[in-house]
Amino acid sequence: MNFPATVKAQLAGERVRVDALVEFAFASGTIRLWNGFGELPTLDGKTWQGLGNMGRIDGLEQSINGTAPTQTFVLSGVDPTFAAIAKGEAAEYYRRPVTVFLQFFGDDWQPLDNPFAISLRHMERIKAKRTQTEEGFEYTISLTAETPFTTRRRPPFSYWTDRDQQLRYPGDRGLEEVAGIDGKEITFPDY
């Protein structure tokens, strides 16, 4: 990655800050959050909603030696719309992407460069909790996400066999000759 504004600010002796941004790609729409206050427009044209230090990301680690670590996002004080998504159908979130970005800021909390992705996960489980406060209700969401490598040891959905093709598309004859093709020489075009 190339961060010219960040490097320039650092070399000029300015304080450079960094914060995590999280993008949840739900089926009904994308929700972008950051751990600051208010809305954050970034240089790539996206707008991120502030949680006001009410969010936490646990388990942000790299996959080492083929492991597939999970990651947990805990968001307190989210709006009822987000909580409704969490309590809704699993198709709204299951195996949908969640991306964690890092954003560099100047001392005045203005973005210096575009955010860059450091983690891509798939949402697996969401738990929502509602607690009574003096102001009303506070919603807390706990979301567990896994890396795309969690299913790497499972066999692929298709082995390019006639049996698999018939299970998905009964009557399709596209792969009926695959079993006898090993070691067969096909001349094409045949004049």
Side-chain angles (χ1 to χ4, degrees):
M1 292 290 319
N2 189 358
F3 306 106
T6 304
V7 172
K8 184 178 177 182
Q10 183 72 34
L11 290 175
E14 297 175 23
R15 183 186 309 189
V16 174
R17 301 172 188 262
V18 67
D19 201 357
L21 313 176
V22 183
E23 183 176 71
F24 299 96
F26 292 106
S28 62
T30 302
I31 294 178
R32 294 179 184 91
L33 302 172
W34 77 297
N35 215 26
F37 296 92
E39 288 188 349
L40 170 69
T42 52
L43 301 178
D44 58 359
K46 297 177 181 175
T47 301
W48 307 77
Q49 302 301 317
L51 284 174
N53 296 323
M54 301 287 281
R56 187 177 78 236
I57 302 172
D58 294 331
L60 188 60
E61 58 187 81
Q62 182 178 350
S63 177
I64 300 172
N65 293 330
T67 62
T70 61
Q71 184 175 1
T72 304
F73 300 90
V74 179
L75 309 169
S76 297
V78 298
D79 65 356
T81 306
F82 197 145
I85 290 174
K87 290 200 171 261
E89 294 292 323
E92 180 69 27
Y93 64 86
Y94 185 70
R95 300 299 291 162
R96 306 274 309 167
V98 56
T99 309
V100 177
F101 296 87
L102 283 185
Q103 174 66 60
F104 290 108
F105 297 93
D107 200 23
D108 56 355
W109 286 99
Q110 294 302 311
L112 293 175
D113 291 302
N114 285 332
F116 69 100
I118 60 169
S119 175
L120 170 67
R121 307 290 171 121
H122 292 124
M123 295 181 260
E124 292 293 321
R125 293 175 301 282
I126 294 182
K127 295 178 184 173
K129 181 172 74 169
R130 181 178 77 168
T131 54
Q132 180 77 39
T133 63
E134 292 177 7
E135 295 83 29
F137 290 106
E138 180 180 274
Y139 297 93
T140 302
I141 305 296
S142 176
L143 187 144
T144 303
E146 296 179 340
T147 69
F149 303 113
T150 54
T151 58
R152 73 188 187 290
R153 290 192 180 178
R154 294 181 191 156
F157 182 66
S158 174
Y159 289 105
W160 292 95
T161 64
D162 185 48
R163 181 173 179 269
D164 286 335
Q165 188 73 2
Q166 292 300 320
L167 288 173
R168 279 185 276 147
Y169 307 105
D172 185 14
R173 300 183 62 199
L175 297 176
E176 68 183 4
E177 300 294 328
V178 170
I181 206 166
D182 287 342
K184 190 174 196 176
E185 187 174 315
I186 300 173
T187 306
F188 182 83
D190 187 15
Y191 296 106

